[in-house]
Amino acid sequence: MLLLGCVKEVSDYELAVSLPNGLSGFVPVTQISDAYSKLLTQQVAQGQVPEELNSLPDLFSPGTLVRCVVTSIEKSDDGRRSVKLSIDPKKVNKGLNSTALAAGMLLSGSVLSVEDHGYLIDIGVTGTHAFLPHQKAKNYIKAVKKGPGLKIGQNLNCLIVEVKNEGRVVCLSIDRSEVAASIATERQSWALSNLLPGLVVKARVQKVAPLGMKLTFLSYFTGIVDFMHMDPEKSMSYSPDQVVKACVLSVHAASRAVRLTLRPPFLHAGGAPRQLPGPRLGAVLEEATVKAFYKQFGAIFELDDGTLAFARLKHLSKTRKSFKPAAFKEGCKHKCRIIDYSLMDEMCIVSLKNQIIEARFLQYQDIHTGDVVQGKVLSLKPIGMQVKVADGIRGLVPSLHLSDVILKQPEKKYSIGDEVKCRVLECNPGGKKLILTLKKSLVQSKLPVLSNYEDAKPGLITHGFVVCAREFGCIVKFYNDVKGLVPKNELGSEPISCPEKVFYEGQVLKVMVLKCEPQQERLLLSFRLSSKPGPDDKWKSTPKEKQEMKYQIGEIVDVKILKKKDNGLEVSILEDEDNVVAWIPTLHLSDFVATSKLLWHCLREGDVLPRVMYLSDKGEHIILSRKSAVISAVQEEQVVRSFSEIQPGMMLTGYVRNVMPFGVFVEFPFGVTGLAPKVSMSDKFVTDTKDHFVVGQTVIAKVMSIDEEKQRVLLNLKVSECSSGDSAAESFALLNQYFKELKENRDLLRRGEPSICELVPGKRVHLVVQDVREDGSALFSVSSVTGLTVTATRYHLGDKKIAPGEKRKALVLHVDALTSEVHVSLREELLKQRPKRVSTRS
């Protein structure tokens, strides 16, 4: 079937074409012409775009009339029919042959090649070469504004000016005035087999009926003009034998059916139908007046601006059963919504269905980037999920965006027909391209939507997703394909040597804009959201609170011990005129639990502790900390100041607040807390959580996920997950700090009388055997220090037989200053070894 259509939309891969009677069809990019298809094939084969190949938007403009042939009618899964078309001259002009060509004929052509004096045109007639001189093309080229010349594949409405050599050579014109003046006549010998849509003819009215008219034209042809294609201004004045000008709309040779239009814009070949003003599409009209009702087709309405609209029968009521013909008598008024515009009928298409009137989206233009939409799962494919957002609107959820984590088997989570809540990542109405995300972190995000580079102001914090993690940093993408770079030094609050091991593709993170150059589309970002407090960030306080609030978290002070209590030290901050009293919990005296207890044991009232950090002001006292790792984290800004700054993947230094059977609660500076579940506590299997962690223990935790609604943070304490890359350096740094604090404790213990500090691991001492126990171990005494329990296990006695009162030489293995216990060995292989001095300098 041949049809006259009007280009409605142009995308890179197809033309959307308006057809008569409110129908529409699509011309795939492969159905333009043979010459254009060859260029596409060449592009695929060579992997690069040929110089002569232009995109469809460069060749076609909305509003252009084209002759089409129906190639297929496909039915989609949801029952909708799709009409596939071709405008290839070889298919459109299939009924023509070289002997049938005559001067004055109007037919379709496509640019085949560009020559010195004009263009070779493909008119689809075998054995005929068609030539278009530059002179006959220049006016058209100037009018269409598609460049300085015609392009290969460009579709043309061609008028045959001259026929030579029995149709083997024809000369063409596309001059707009010549084409517009052309009229098909009997002399051109048109037959039903080659009659073309778009021909303007003189016709005679044969019969007038309620649904249209029957015409005769070109001597022996008959055709139908339906009610939608009468001239609106003359629809009531047609009479038999009246001569009218008409345009062929469609030809179906098999059934000998020819349809025509009497609408004025089509009565000059090459004309263009009227367009609908953009804002009208989607408009809801409270009162549309019925002008006519056709029980097999639908109803014609007059809208508020006087224009006519058509509603198909299925759009007049919710269901066929609920339809009441009496409600559509002439003059009745109804509420409706403009859902489309038929260019070929120059008429709005409306619907009276409530679900359509109340629908949020009718077309792709109604959807904006960042919108949260409801959809229904249509299909699951390797590329992603196809979602139906509304009738005629479908979107794609790429596989990367099916969840916050990569799904290996999405079919286990989603099923066809499921209702899903998505967010629009990108919407291109022209190309009918809609990209969605199902990542809950993006769908539920309350942060600003970054959809263009102009909005990327320094300091803006928003959500983005990682698309690439390499040694140089991370590429983060936002909406509308806006993307930026997070350099390596901005990846976190501490150095990250291997970003690809910390971050993964698709990971949603909060980022802060550092710098943006919109014209160059360059965007510099940071994952470090916290910044040092400025003058305006200082706490506001009442006079009553002023004393305790004048210090900020992270501030370093020196303190003097006022009183030792069982669970900590009461201290006063030195060089403070108000003599502010503060509290250091015992577990905050050191990063190491054992060292904390030992230091508390060694300290005396009146001692001064330097470099203690202000931690918080909870409760009645200011809380201070002497944990070296925590102090370093705060000073180096490797902390989060509020819940909103936390991002998955962060490495944070904190301390165990509570140990529960199901996991460990960890607190960080500035009061943020998180939970490490039992399965994420250790690389080893955890039976009892108390065997792995104790309250007050300093830990490095990795943020696994956050729940903004419930303000919850899930952590991972596994050593394999919490290393920044150089685990050996980290271990030596911790050992160095441990030995440094151990030395400080020894120095404190040495005050006064000889003490346990005289005994250090590796030292050789002379002991007196006090007792030999039943388990084979022995108890000794040392003359230089009293009050100690010195023991050697059965293994460390070696083969020596000892008896109480004997003097023996031994090697110190371990000293526990808190319990005053010393472990020694009498084994010869240990006593003979020369002690090696280990440097604790880093």
Side-chain angles (χ1 to χ4, degrees):
M1 184 176 187
L2 292 171
L3 295 159
L4 185 65
C6 184
V7 177
K8 190 175 181 181
E9 295 173 1
V10 185
S11 69
D12 287 334
Y13 300 106
E14 66 181 12
L15 304 176
V17 178
S18 173
L19 301 175
N21 301 110
L23 299 175
S24 60
F26 299 92
V27 180
V29 70
T30 55
Q31 292 295 329
I32 304 300
S33 73
D34 277 358
Y36 195 76
S37 295
K38 285 179 182 177
L39 290 176
L40 292 174
T41 305
Q42 185 180 333
Q43 178 188 358
V44 173
Q46 297 179 353
Q48 59 184 15
V49 181
E51 188 178 344
E52 303 91 342
L53 181 61
N54 290 275
S55 66
L56 293 186
D58 289 333
L59 300 177
F60 297 90
S61 299
T64 305
L65 292 175
V66 290
R67 293 179 183 86
C68 317
V69 59
V70 177
T71 57
S72 66
I73 298 176
E74 299 174 2
K75 194 173 182 180
S76 61
D77 297 335
D78 57 0
R80 296 169 68 91
R81 293 177 184 241
S82 176
V83 180
K84 298 296 181 184
L85 306 168
S86 174
I87 59 171
D88 187 343
K90 280 187 170 54
K91 295 179 180 178
V92 173
N93 299 334
K94 185 178 180 181
L96 289 171
N97 54 53
S98 57
T99 58
L101 300 178
M105 273 188 168
L106 199 63
L107 71 170
S108 293
S110 177
V111 178
L112 183 63
S113 64
V114 181
E115 306 298 331
D116 291 341
H117 301 289
Y119 305 89
L120 285 180
I121 305 298
D122 177 10
I123 60 171
V125 178
T126 305
T128 298
H129 296 280
F131 183 71
L132 173 64
H134 282 304
Q135 188 66 25
K136 294 292 186 179
K138 64 179 184 180
N139 289 341
Y140 175 86
I141 293 169
K142 186 177 180 180
V144 298
K145 299 177 182 177
K146 284 290 184 182
L150 301 178
K151 305 174 180 70
I152 294 176
Q154 197 162 344
N155 192 268
L156 304 171
N157 202 11
C158 304
L159 178 69
I160 298 179
V161 177
E162 187 180 4
V163 179
K164 300 178 181 179
N165 299 332
E166 297 179 346
R168 288 192 288 272
V169 177
V170 295
C171 188
L172 306 173
S173 173
I174 58 171
D175 185 278
R176 303 195 83 166
S177 59
E178 293 181 23
V179 170
S182 67
I183 292 182
T185 64
E186 290 85 347
R187 287 185 304 168
Q188 294 162 5
S189 302
W190 292 101
L192 188 61
S193 60
N194 60 27
L195 190 66
L196 293 173
L199 296 180
V200 177
V201 297
K202 284 185 178 180
R204 186 180 298 273
V205 178
Q206 192 177 49
K207 183 181 178 182
V208 180
L211 292 178
M213 295 190 302
K214 189 174 184 180
L215 304 179
T216 60
F217 61 99
L218 295 177
S219 298
Y220 58 89
F221 288 100
T222 59
I224 299 296
V225 178
D226 63 43
F227 62 90
M228 296 180 73
H229 283 276
M230 294 182 185
D231 186 342
E233 296 180 4
K234 302 176 182 178
S235 58
M236 304 301 292
S237 61
Y238 293 113
S239 59
D241 289 329
Q242 182 180 349
V243 177
V244 293
K245 204 175 180 183
C247 176
V248 178
L249 275 183
S250 64
V251 179
H252 191 258
S255 63
R256 305 181 65 84
V258 180
R259 290 186 175 269
L260 302 99
T261 180
L262 302 180
R263 288 186 168 272
F266 300 97
L267 302 184
H268 299 283
R274 291 189 296 267
Q275 300 271 348
L276 175 73
R280 294 287 286 173
L281 196 60
V284 176
L285 307 175
E286 294 297 328
E287 289 187 344
T289 307
V290 178
K291 294 290 289 182
F293 172 66
Y294 305 95
K295 62 179 182 180
Q296 292 181 336
F297 302 101
I300 298 287
F301 293 86
E302 184 178 351
L303 305 183
D304 52 7
D305 60 355
T307 59
L308 297 180
F310 177 67
R312 295 186 186 92
L313 204 60
K314 68 176 183 179
H315 278 283
L316 292 178
S317 62
K318 189 174 182 180
T319 62
R320 284 186 177 271
K321 290 183 179 180
S322 63
F323 174 64
K324 297 177 181 178
F328 295 94
K329 292 179 180 179
E330 186 176 353
C332 292
K333 297 183 183 298
H334 293 273
K335 184 178 182 179
C336 65
R337 187 173 190 179
I338 300 175
I339 59 173
D340 200 359
Y341 180 72
S342 174
L343 287 164
M344 289 304 297
D345 305 314
E346 294 188 305
M347 195 177 286
C348 292
I349 307 298
V350 298
S351 176
L352 279 64
K353 286 186 173 182
N354 284 334
Q355 66 190 67
I356 290 179
I357 292 173
E358 297 169 2
R360 184 181 173 193
F361 307 115
L362 275 185
Q363 53 181 344
Y364 286 89
Q365 285 84 348
D366 298 333
I367 300 176
H368 301 97
T369 301
D371 281 349
V372 176
V373 301
Q374 289 288 137
K376 183 180 286 187
V377 178
L378 291 179
S379 63
L380 282 165
K381 298 178 180 178
I383 193 175
M385 176 196 293
Q386 192 176 36
V387 175
K388 178 184 177 181
V389 177
D391 284 339
I393 301 178
R394 297 184 178 189
L396 175 70
V397 181
S399 55
L400 186 69
H401 282 273
L402 291 174
S403 173
D404 276 321
V405 296
I406 303 299
L407 297 182
K408 292 183 178 179
Q409 295 178 304
E411 63 276 4
K412 289 188 175 181
K413 183 172 182 178
Y414 301 106
S415 300
I416 307 301
D418 283 355
E419 292 285 339
V420 289
K421 190 177 183 181
C422 317
R423 195 161 198 175
V424 179
L425 284 177
E426 185 180 346
C427 183
N428 178 8
K432 293 189 176 180
K433 178 182 177 183
L434 181 62
I435 306 298
L436 307 167
T437 181
L438 282 169
K439 289 182 178 291
K440 192 177 288 186
S441 307
L442 291 177
V443 174
Q444 297 180 349
S445 174
K446 304 298 182 185
L447 296 176
V449 171
L450 184 56
S451 59
N452 60 73
Y453 289 94
E454 286 73 19
D455 291 342
K457 306 298 182 187
L460 174 74
I461 294 178
T462 186
H463 276 119
F465 54 95
V466 177
V467 293
C468 173
R470 297 290 185 271
E471 65 278 356
F472 55 79
C474 288
I475 302 294
V476 176
K477 213 172 190 181
F478 305 95
Y479 298 83
N480 273 351
D481 208 31
V482 173
K483 49 183 173 285
L485 170 67
V486 182
K488 195 171 182 179
N489 61 324
E490 294 291 342
L491 289 177
S493 52
E494 57 185 66
I496 296 177
S497 58
C498 298
E500 60 271 26
K501 293 183 179 180
V502 177
F503 304 99
Y504 59 87
E505 189 180 4
Q507 185 177 0
V508 177
L509 297 167
K510 285 181 185 174
V511 295
M512 182 171 69
V513 176
L514 297 179
K515 183 181 178 182
C516 183
E517 298 175 15
Q519 292 183 340
Q520 287 75 34
E521 296 189 348
R522 291 178 183 171
L523 186 56
L524 190 65
L525 308 165
S526 175
F527 288 155
R528 301 175 62 179
L529 307 183
S530 59
S531 58
K532 293 183 179 180
D536 298 332
D537 298 325
K538 292 187 177 179
W539 295 326
K540 296 178 181 178
S541 58
T542 61
K544 185 178 180 181
E545 298 168 328
K546 185 176 179 181
Q547 178 173 330
E548 290 193 2
M549 300 292 278
K550 67 181 184 177
Y551 293 98
Q552 292 190 24
I553 295 175
E555 194 166 337
I556 302 298
V557 295
D558 295 340
V559 298
K560 182 179 181 179
I561 299 174
L562 298 178
K563 188 179 291 186
K564 287 180 68 175
K565 294 186 177 181
D566 291 342
N567 58 344
L569 303 173
E570 189 176 289
V571 299
S572 64
I573 299 176
L574 298 178
E575 299 181 6
D576 188 298
E577 57 187 17
D578 296 323
N579 294 317
V580 173
V581 175
W583 177 256
I584 307 178
T586 300
L587 295 174
H588 272 279
L589 287 171
S590 171
D591 283 318
F592 311 98
V593 176
T595 308
S596 296
K597 295 175 180 178
L598 179 59
L599 181 58
W600 181 92
H601 177 78
C602 297
L603 291 170
R604 302 173 185 173
E605 294 177 1
D607 283 347
V608 172
L609 284 177
R611 294 189 57 75
V612 181
M613 185 184 77
Y614 183 99
L615 185 64
S616 70
D617 60 341
K618 294 179 181 177
E620 299 178 356
H621 296 290
I622 293 173
I623 307 298
L624 305 178
S625 178
R626 197 171 172 269
K627 286 180 176 287
S628 177
V630 175
I631 293 172
S632 296
V634 175
Q635 289 182 332
E636 294 173 14
E637 288 294 323
Q638 298 175 2
V639 290
V640 289
R641 296 175 182 272
S642 65
F643 182 88
S644 62
E645 295 182 4
I646 301 178
Q647 300 177 40
M650 277 186 163
M651 297 285 195
L652 299 174
T653 301
Y655 38 90
V656 176
R657 181 177 175 178
N658 203 356
V659 180
M660 305 296 288
F662 54 82
V664 172
F665 285 97
V666 179
E667 185 171 356
F668 304 101
F670 297 92
V672 176
T673 59
L675 170 68
K678 193 173 180 180
V679 294
S680 301
M681 282 176 50
S682 174
D683 289 303
K684 298 178 180 179
F685 180 75
V686 178
T687 303
D688 189 345
T689 53
K690 291 182 180 179
D691 292 340
H692 293 264
F693 291 95
V694 295
V695 174
Q697 182 176 346
T698 302
V699 294
I700 295 175
K702 182 178 181 178
V703 179
M704 298 304 294
S705 64
I706 55 175
D707 186 331
E708 293 189 19
E709 186 177 343
K710 297 180 180 179
Q711 297 276 295
R712 291 179 180 172
V713 183
L714 285 183
L715 306 170
N716 193 327
L717 296 177
K718 293 181 179 180
V719 174
S720 60
E721 293 285 341
C722 297
S723 172
S724 64
D726 194 349
S727 56
E730 289 177 355
S731 300
F732 278 116
L734 287 171
L735 280 173
N736 184 40
Q737 181 63 26
Y738 174 76
F739 286 124
K740 180 182 176 182
E741 293 184 12
L742 205 59
K743 184 177 182 301
E744 291 174 354
N745 289 345
R746 291 185 188 284
D747 292 341
L748 290 172
L749 283 170
R750 284 194 178 96
R751 295 183 296 187
E753 299 176 2
S755 68
I756 194 172
C757 289
E758 299 299 323
L759 301 176
V760 295
K763 184 175 181 178
R764 289 165 176 74
V765 291
H766 293 280
L767 307 173
V768 176
V769 179
Q770 295 292 317
D771 188 21
V772 178
R773 297 169 178 168
E774 292 182 3
D775 61 1
S777 63
L779 186 66
F780 301 87
S781 64
V782 55
S783 58
S784 58
V785 183
T786 58
L788 297 181
T789 302
V790 182
T791 58
T793 62
R794 181 176 180 177
Y795 172 80
H796 279 287
L797 290 177
D799 298 329
K800 296 179 181 178
K801 293 183 180 180
I802 57 173
E806 291 181 354
K807 291 183 178 182
R808 294 286 180 173
K809 191 176 182 180
L811 183 78
V812 177
L813 296 176
H814 175 69
V815 179
D816 189 337
L818 275 178
T819 58
S820 297
E821 290 183 359
V822 179
H823 296 269
V824 298
S825 177
L826 275 64
R827 295 184 72 89
E828 286 297 329
E829 62 267 28
L830 292 178
L831 288 169
K832 287 179 181 179
Q833 287 184 0
R834 294 185 63 184
K836 295 180 180 179
R837 189 172 184 82
V838 179
S839 174
T840 59
R841 289 179 297 176
S842 58

